[in-house]
Amino acid sequence: MEKEKKHRTSSDEMLNASYEYNEVSYKYDAFISYRHVEPDQTVAKYVHQMIETFKAPKEFYKDGKRPVFRVFRDREELAARDLGASIEEALAQSRYLVVICSRRTPLSEWCQKEIETFKSLHGEERIIPVLIEGEPDEAFPSPLKEIKDQGDGHEILAADIRPDEIFSDEFTGYENLQDKHKLNELTKQSINLLKTEKYRIMATILGCSFGDLKQRDKERKNKRILNLSLSAGAVFLIFGIFMANAYHKAEVARQEAVQSNASILMKTSKDYAGDGDYLKAALVAKEAMNSISKNMKYYNTLKAEEFSIFNSVIYHGGASTLTVIPTKNNMTFMALSNDEKYVAYGLDNNKTAISSVENGEIIKEFDGHSQQVKLLSFSVDDKYLASASFDNTCIIYDVKTGEQKAVLDIEGIPMLTQFSKDGTKLFYAVLYNNNTVFYVYDTVNWEKKSEFTVEGQVKSADIKKDGSEILITLNTNTDDQVTRRSMEDGSIIDVIPKISEKNIITQEDTYKPYKSAAYSADGQNMILLTESEIIKMSFDKQDIFREDMYINPDDNKVIYESDNGEKIAVKSNTKIYILDGNSGAISDEIYFEKLNLKYYVYNPDTNTVVGFGENGNYSIWKDNTVVEDNLKYGSGTPVEFKFLKDGSKILANSHESQAIKIIDLKSRVSSESIYAKIVANSNDSSKMLLFDGNDFLLSGDNGKTSSKINVDESTIYGIASDNKYSKISNNGRYYATVVTALNSDKPVLKVYDLQDNDSKMFEMDSVSSAFTFSNDSEEILLADGKNGLRIFDSNSMEQVKNYSDISEDSGKMILSPDSKILVFNKISGTASIYNLENGEHIDDVAGEVLDVQNTGDEIKLKGIKNNTAFTWSNKSGIVTWDMDDACRQTPISFNDVNMYNANTDLLMMIRNNENDRKCYIVDFSSGKLRMTLNSAVKKYTVNGHISPDGKLIAIDQNYYSDYDSKSDKTSYYTEAKVYKILSEDEVSKEVDNILAGRTLTQDEKVQIGISTK
């Protein structure tokens, strides 16, 4: 290619320089050659940006347009084809070559090749070195030094951006610099020097002088300042308005960002609540609201979300997961302090931690181990914590100070860690070379007192309360499978005899293997388990009792015994039996119908059994009854449990999810339960119709007390599961229900006068015909497709009115307080509005109407349609708004029950689909969810109740039936939970009480994304 002539001009020839610049066009104004090391590549990047963003003087404009500079830098431009061809093509289409020069540049064959190629295409004059380190003799590649040394009077000039510090004797070169912080600092200094040296580079590219270009740029800046000064008066005239608008926009943007972040945190909070970590959910919700003020656009929305999350913390039945303690350790077991205030566990891969049992907050973390911690034990006074790890050490920590009191080097896998009851000894056992080695340490000086080895693997080991001996069960079914041994030297005190049985096939005597052996609570007997029986045996080998029971060989914790030995709980297959500790007589047989029972835990003090299924769900039995059924535990099936003595909490440890969950068994806002199902409510909710499995009951005080309703024996069914078949009047005098009379094949509406102890009945056209009482209780309304709407006197049952044009035949009727306006909620999903004074059909509204108000001049309705709330007026029409998306999680069904309370603006929606039963309590006017309640009832339609003042709600929560084969009778347990509706302040205070001072840790904030390390 023919070499172009040299472009060099004096300072007064800027215009001529522009002519020459625009005379020949190139694809690239510069090609940057550099080594891909630091700081070379960072400097190359900034040189690239500088050239492409440089504003040239107006003399270089072409057709009124400012020149656009393009740069080739192989990292930016190189395509994925032949490397050599791409480079050569780019060099041929580049006006100048910029070489980033450091002491390592001469070592690059690639840089040398690029210089040589460019020289051959364009000559030597178009090369611009940029010196970042060393002197030219050190930093220029040989093709550049050749140009300098030609002796023709031409000396190549370099842009110098070397920081002062590199001239120091202490600086030995970038290649030896290991401090990244120092490297970044020196690189920034070079880039800062580029602000001046850029004129040297651009002057060469444009063909003008360095001083001329720098002066022209200075003039341009001064002119811009002058123009700004000339317009300053006008600017200041509008400055106030502009700044106000700018501030307003900035503030709106800031608020939107803050609210967006709060919304994200609220979603995180809901995720925690969904996994059962309600305390962390509350903490994150609090954090979200910290930066939200009342004047912000979405304050009410976010505050409602916080309120809903707070409600989820406190509104549950008798049991709910409270919080989650992550262990990040799939091998650790728990230790509960003797005062039951703290739980210890292995944390992560090499730590030990203690958390509060009250709120799950991490109290202390202990270092010292190099591998996972498996076993832990608190001393009797809770002063020390023994931590046994897979790293062959047991570390003794001072719980208060965190100080390591001792490190016991014991080779083997830890199998037992336990302090003696008097606190003077630490018992320790490991599995080593397929044998089990036992150790006893003195807790005063932590010196070993004794050591003995038991050949083979131990299946179970139980130390006597006084620490004198140990009851050992081996894995092998040998003659000495179960032995009593001295803790001083391991010598055998006694061998527990084997239990023989006849082999069904061979009829030969065989011996049953023992599953476990333990000392009884009184310390004078032993409790032995085989796969087919439980035996309580004295030390002189006399049976106290022996009961046949199938014990699953895969079950781990099968037996729990009360401290006084009076009760023993045993898991036998899928059932749990409570035995008398002295006679072995079975007092209770527990079966959780909805659980595939895997594990259980028993609290004899409160007579409570909690069973866990294979899917992690759990059920609770207490005092002969299943009181909570198939509750959701969340991810990870727990395998280890600690039940607090007062029965208030259970700690459940899951190796699968590597977390400990605290299950709270104490309901904080529920009142005394109603031990019956809710059949119906009066129109004004002042009366409740209940059924306890045997009798109908009437309550006028929200279920606190009730009286029996005597139902005639001649009726075949009066206990239909659907509430539409039974009604109670507002004054509680009349009870109406759909029955079938013995002498008729047609449905009959039977009305009981509970005051006069009388009943009357008349035939109905259809079992689905709708009926209700008037609000003054004096009349009963009955609608069917054949006869229209008929109104009868409640006492005499004589017809007093008939509306033949109102021919609705099924659905639900709602009356205004004065009973003049009737709304008929039809199964089709439409509500028809009628004026009962003249029988006029007023209008139809899509949805279900829940409240009707009549002022005389205006009719107002409130209702819902799917997940939308609405109001309707005969004057203003309909207004709709969406309810909380959380209400969509449970599908709608035809059996859903919805009710509204005007005093508190509360909406109760009970979803009765086959798979999931949930109750949503919603603030009607905003559509925001206040709380979600679960129901375990599947046998019948779940119903609810809102007290007239709106301060109490009730929902059918539990149902359990128990068939006794001996008496051939089935007993029913039904329970409706009653909850107080707390104000926002009351809810907040209750949440603070539950949190008990817990705050988010720094690690939790980092994990959530609130802050960084």
Side-chain angles (χ1 to χ4, degrees):
M1 184 179 184
E2 183 181 356
K3 298 180 183 178
E4 292 84 0
K5 62 181 180 178
K6 177 181 176 183
H7 294 292
R8 299 287 183 192
T9 66
S10 62
S11 61
D12 58 352
E13 294 178 330
M14 179 76 76
L15 192 60
N16 291 333
S18 70
Y19 292 149
E20 293 189 34
Y21 175 82
N22 289 316
E23 184 181 351
V24 181
S25 62
Y26 292 87
K27 182 177 180 180
Y28 302 107
D29 290 278
F31 180 111
I32 300 178
S33 177
Y34 65 100
R35 291 207 65 182
H36 287 204
V37 294
E38 291 295 356
D40 304 45
Q41 58 187 3
T42 297
V43 171
K45 174 184 174 183
Y46 276 88
V47 171
H48 184 153
Q49 292 175 356
M50 179 274 295
I51 295 173
E52 289 192 340
T53 58
F54 187 81
K55 293 180 180 179
K58 284 190 176 180
E59 288 84 351
F60 291 88
Y61 284 29
K62 188 174 183 180
D63 298 329
K65 294 181 180 180
R66 190 173 65 194
V68 176
F69 301 107
R70 291 195 65 197
V71 176
F72 180 92
R73 183 163 58 99
D74 59 357
R75 177 151 300 192
E76 298 290 334
E77 296 284 350
L78 198 56
R81 54 195 175 107
D82 180 69
L83 185 64
S86 299
I87 290 290
E88 189 169 340
E89 181 182 342
L91 287 166
Q93 296 180 9
S94 298
R95 187 187 299 269
Y96 276 86
L97 174 67
V98 177
V99 184
I100 309 299
C101 299
S102 67
R103 286 173 178 166
R104 288 175 286 181
T105 307
L107 303 176
S108 171
E109 295 181 2
W110 200 254
C111 289
Q112 293 192 47
K113 184 178 179 181
E114 287 170 345
I115 296 169
E116 290 170 352
T117 301
F118 188 87
K119 281 172 62 178
S120 68
L121 295 171
H122 303 288
E124 302 168 345
E125 299 87 352
R126 294 182 177 276
I127 300 175
I128 307 171
V130 177
L131 194 60
I132 66 172
E133 177 195 21
E135 297 299 329
D137 288 341
E138 299 175 281
F140 283 11
S142 55
L144 280 183
K145 287 194 282 187
E146 290 172 2
I147 296 173
K148 183 179 179 182
D149 294 340
Q150 278 181 345
D152 60 356
H154 166 62
E155 182 175 333
I156 189 166
L157 298 176
D160 188 355
I161 56 173
R162 292 173 294 176
D164 292 339
E165 195 170 332
I166 72 169
F167 298 105
S168 168
D169 293 337
E170 296 177 359
F171 184 78
T172 59
Y174 282 120
E175 69 272 17
N176 299 320
L177 188 60
Q178 301 296 322
D179 188 342
K180 289 186 178 181
H181 178 73
K182 175 59 68 176
L183 175 63
N184 291 336
E185 184 181 334
L186 293 174
T187 304
K188 287 179 182 178
Q189 292 179 25
S190 287
I191 293 167
N192 191 51
L193 291 169
L194 185 61
K195 292 177 182 178
T196 300
E197 288 299 291
K198 69 180 180 181
Y199 297 110
R200 196 178 307 281
I201 298 170
M202 292 309 299
T204 304
I205 292 175
L206 293 172
C208 60
S209 72
F210 166 76
D212 197 9
L213 185 62
K214 188 174 182 181
Q215 179 62 30
R216 190 60 59 89
D217 195 53
K218 181 178 180 180
E219 290 173 0
R220 180 179 62 81
K221 290 179 180 178
N222 289 339
K223 186 176 181 181
R224 184 174 64 184
I225 293 171
L226 178 62
N227 289 334
L228 287 172
S229 299
L230 291 174
S231 59
V235 169
F236 280 115
L237 287 175
I238 61 172
F239 180 74
I241 298 173
F242 171 78
M243 289 303 295
N245 288 335
Y247 173 79
H248 175 70
K249 289 180 180 178
E251 179 61 16
V252 169
R254 185 193 70 81
Q255 290 190 14
E256 286 180 352
V258 169
Q259 291 172 102
S260 176
N261 184 59
S263 181
I264 293 170
L265 287 177
M266 285 298 182
K267 184 180 183 306
T268 302
S269 173
K270 291 174 185 177
D271 290 341
Y272 279 120
D275 197 37
D277 198 342
Y278 289 106
L279 295 195
K280 194 173 287 184
L283 291 170
V284 174
K286 279 176 170 282
E287 192 72 35
M289 292 301 296
N290 279 345
S291 55
I292 303 299
S293 55
K294 290 184 178 180
N295 65 330
M296 291 185 177
K297 182 178 180 181
Y298 297 107
Y299 171 82
N300 289 333
T301 299
L302 291 167
K303 193 66 179 175
E305 289 188 40
E306 181 194 45
F307 189 40
S308 176
I309 291 165
F310 282 3
N311 276 311
S312 71
V313 176
I314 63 176
Y315 280 97
H316 54 77
S320 173
T321 53
L322 185 63
T323 191
V324 180
I325 304 172
T327 65
K328 303 175 187 177
N329 182 327
N330 62 356
M331 298 295 290
T332 189
F333 291 86
M334 301 181 289
L336 186 64
S337 63
N338 292 280
D339 61 8
E340 296 191 332
K341 291 183 178 180
Y342 307 107
V343 58
Y345 52 92
L347 176 64
D348 219 328
N349 290 321
N350 55 5
K351 290 184 178 182
T352 301
I354 294 177
S355 287
S356 165
V357 170
E358 184 176 21
N359 59 20
E361 183 177 16
I362 293 180
I363 305 300
K364 269 191 176 62
E365 290 184 16
F366 304 93
D367 295 317
H369 288 295
S370 60
Q371 294 186 39
Q372 282 188 325
V373 171
K374 181 184 178 186
L375 302 175
L376 302 110
S377 179
F378 282 97
S379 60
V380 177
D381 57 5
D382 291 328
K383 182 178 180 181
Y384 299 118
L385 176 67
S387 173
S389 166
F390 287 99
D391 64 2
N392 297 323
T393 65
C394 177
I395 301 178
I396 312 300
Y397 296 105
D398 184 299
V399 172
K400 187 175 182 180
T401 66
E403 178 188 356
Q404 292 184 16
K405 304 301 292 185
V407 178
L408 311 179
D409 293 311
I410 308 168
E411 194 169 0
I413 299 172
M415 303 300 290
L416 181 147
T417 306
Q418 180 181 324
F419 282 93
S420 63
K421 298 297 181 184
D422 62 6
T424 62
K425 304 181 197 68
L426 172 69
F427 304 117
Y428 196 83
V430 297
L431 181 64
Y432 181 68
N433 288 339
N434 288 322
N435 293 323
T436 307
V437 186
F438 290 85
Y439 300 87
V440 180
Y441 287 88
D442 190 319
T443 58
V444 175
N445 53 26
W446 303 108
E447 292 183 358
K448 185 168 62 177
K449 295 183 67 174
S450 65
E451 172 187 348
F452 61 89
T453 300
V454 176
E455 292 185 2
Q457 295 186 17
V458 171
K459 186 184 292 187
S460 70
D462 187 41
I463 300 172
K464 201 174 181 182
K465 284 184 179 180
D466 62 9
S468 62
E469 61 179 74
I470 185 169
L471 192 58
I472 290 176
T473 307
L474 298 176
N475 268 337
T476 54
N477 187 18
T478 56
D479 290 340
D480 60 348
Q481 186 189 10
V482 178
T483 54
R484 291 169 54 203
R485 297 175 182 252
S486 167
M487 284 304 294
E488 290 186 3
D489 55 12
S491 60
I492 295 176
I493 299 171
D494 199 1
V495 177
I496 309 306
K498 302 291 292 183
I499 301 172
S500 64
E501 64 178 351
K502 288 282 186 184
N503 186 294
I504 299 175
I505 299 173
T506 64
Q507 293 299 305
E508 295 180 356
D509 286 337
T510 58
Y511 293 99
K512 298 180 184 180
Y514 285 107
K515 181 173 177 58
S516 68
Y519 294 102
S520 61
D522 58 17
Q524 302 302 313
N525 301 289
M526 299 170 289
I527 298 176
L528 309 172
L529 269 185
T530 72
E531 291 181 5
S532 60
E533 58 191 334
I534 177 173
I535 307 158
K536 187 170 184 180
M537 181 184 292
S538 65
F539 288 157
D540 59 5
K541 301 168 189 173
Q542 298 298 312
D543 287 354
I544 307 300
F545 66 76
R546 185 185 293 251
E547 287 290 335
D548 291 336
M549 282 188 182
Y550 171 72
I551 307 299
N552 191 321
D554 295 328
D555 284 348
N556 294 322
K557 183 69 174 177
V558 176
I559 289 182
Y560 290 90
E561 187 182 15
S562 63
D563 290 341
N564 58 15
E566 291 182 0
K567 293 180 181 178
I568 300 173
V570 185
K571 180 179 181 294
S572 175
N573 205 2
T574 59
K575 291 186 176 181
I576 298 164
Y577 296 93
I578 308 297
L579 280 59
D580 182 283
N582 297 311
S583 66
I586 297 174
S587 60
D588 291 291
E589 179 181 322
I590 304 163
Y591 174 62
F592 297 112
E593 181 182 357
K594 297 175 183 177
L595 290 183
N596 186 4
L597 186 65
K598 182 72 174 175
Y599 305 102
Y600 84 106
V601 61
Y602 175 54
N603 186 319
D605 295 332
T606 60
N607 198 30
T608 305
V609 171
V610 181
F612 289 81
E614 288 187 344
N615 63 352
N617 286 5
Y618 61 103
S619 297
I620 302 172
W621 175 96
K622 182 179 175 64
D623 295 333
N624 304 315
T625 304
V626 176
V627 295
E628 301 276 355
D629 204 7
N630 204 29
L631 301 175
K632 291 184 178 178
Y633 176 82
S635 58
T637 303
V639 297
E640 183 197 13
F641 310 91
K642 302 291 183 183
F643 209 146
L644 300 195
K645 291 178 182 178
D646 64 2
S648 62
K649 289 186 177 74
I650 294 174
L651 279 65
N653 178 21
S654 171
H655 289 163
E656 178 186 350
S657 62
Q658 300 182 29
I660 297 167
K661 288 191 178 182
I662 299 177
I663 300 174
D664 189 3
L665 274 70
K666 177 184 177 184
S667 181
R668 300 174 184 274
V669 291
S670 62
S671 297
E672 182 66 30
S673 292
I674 303 169
Y675 293 101
K677 63 165 286 192
I678 303 169
V679 178
N681 297 289
S682 60
N683 293 346
D684 61 2
S685 293
S686 64
K687 305 296 185 293
M688 298 176 72
L689 182 65
L690 309 170
F691 182 70
D692 66 1
N694 297 305
D695 299 306
F696 279 100
L697 308 170
L698 175 65
S699 175
D701 54 6
N702 302 304
K704 288 181 182 179
T705 61
S706 59
S707 57
K708 179 182 175 182
I709 297 176
N710 294 314
V711 179
D712 293 345
E713 295 293 331
S714 59
T715 56
I716 294 176
Y717 64 92
I719 54 172
S721 61
D722 198 319
N723 58 19
K724 69 182 180 182
Y725 296 113
S726 298
K727 303 291 180 182
I728 192 78
S729 63
N730 283 347
N731 62 6
R733 178 175 177 177
Y734 301 106
Y735 160 53
T737 185
V738 179
V739 300
T740 298
L742 291 174
N743 57 356
S744 173
D745 59 355
K746 277 200 167 189
V748 171
L749 181 64
K750 191 164 189 176
V751 180
Y752 291 88
D753 186 332
L754 304 180
Q755 178 178 300
D756 294 341
N757 197 24
D758 189 17
S759 66
K760 293 181 176 67
M761 68 176 77
F762 55 87
E763 288 186 352
M764 301 169 63
D765 180 58
S766 168
V767 72
S768 62
S769 297
F771 64 96
T772 190
F773 286 99
S774 61
N775 286 321
D776 62 6
S777 304
E778 297 299 320
E779 296 174 333
I780 185 167
L781 290 73
L782 174 65
D784 61 55
K786 180 180 179 181
N787 301 298
L789 174 65
R790 292 176 288 169
I791 300 179
F792 300 87
D793 182 279
S794 298
N795 186 32
S796 66
M797 290 307 297
E798 292 181 0
Q799 182 174 317
V800 295
K801 287 181 184 178
N802 177 257
Y803 301 88
S804 57
D805 292 339
I806 304 177
S807 57
E808 313 291 354
D809 60 354
S810 62
K812 181 181 179 182
M813 288 188 281
I814 304 288
L815 288 165
S816 61
D818 59 8
S819 295
K820 291 181 179 181
I821 303 299
L822 168 69
V823 174
F824 207 105
N825 289 313
K826 297 184 283 190
I827 294 177
S828 62
T830 302
S832 296
I833 310 164
Y834 296 96
N835 185 334
L836 293 184
E837 288 188 299
N838 56 24
E840 177 190 357
H841 175 223
I842 299 172
D843 204 348
D844 289 328
V845 178
E848 179 184 359
V849 172
L850 302 175
D851 183 67
V852 184
Q853 299 296 325
N854 178 29
T855 64
D857 294 332
E858 185 177 16
I859 301 169
K860 297 180 180 180
L861 311 181
K862 292 182 179 180
I864 59 173
K865 181 184 179 183
N866 297 328
N867 206 49
T868 301
F870 68 83
T871 58
W872 178 92
S873 164
N874 61 329
K875 289 190 173 182
S876 57
I878 193 165
V879 177
T880 65
W881 59 94
D882 289 336
M883 288 185 285
D884 203 303
D885 283 341
C887 301
R888 300 180 187 272
Q889 294 177 1
T890 308
I892 294 170
S893 77
F894 282 110
N895 295 318
D896 290 352
V897 175
N898 304 302
M899 56 190 69
Y900 171 78
N901 180 273
N903 287 322
T904 53
D905 199 36
L906 274 187
L907 169 66
M908 174 186 280
M909 298 188 296
I910 302 175
R911 301 286 164 81
N912 272 301
N913 68 76
E914 291 300 318
N915 298 319
D916 197 10
R917 302 288 178 93
K918 271 191 171 60
C919 173
Y920 296 109
I921 305 299
V922 177
D923 180 84
F924 180 82
S925 295
S926 68
K928 293 302 178 184
L929 179 67
R930 290 187 63 169
M931 70 193 77
T932 303
L933 301 170
N934 296 311
S935 175
V937 175
K938 294 290 179 69
K939 293 291 185 181
Y940 49 81
T941 299
V942 176
N943 204 351
H945 169 77
I946 307 177
S947 65
D949 60 7
K951 294 182 179 180
L952 288 176
I953 61 172
I955 176 177
D956 291 325
Q957 199 111 39
N958 293 299
Y959 168 83
Y960 176 69
S961 62
D962 186 25
Y963 174 71
D964 185 358
S965 58
K966 294 179 180 178
S967 62
D968 194 27
K969 289 184 178 180
T970 301
S971 58
Y972 299 94
Y973 170 82
T974 55
E975 180 187 21
K977 290 279 188 181
V978 181
Y979 301 91
K980 305 169 193 172
I981 298 298
L982 303 182
S983 68
E984 191 172 312
D985 287 341
E986 289 172 328
V987 168
S988 183
K989 288 178 182 177
E990 187 63 35
V991 168
D992 286 340
N993 289 337
I994 297 172
L995 288 173
R998 177 177 170 180
T999 58
L1000 289 172
T1001 65
Q1002 181 63 23
D1003 285 344
E1004 287 172 332
K1005 288 182 178 180
V1006 171
Q1007 180 187 8
I1008 294 165
I1010 296 172
S1011 64
T1012 57
K1013 283 282 187 184

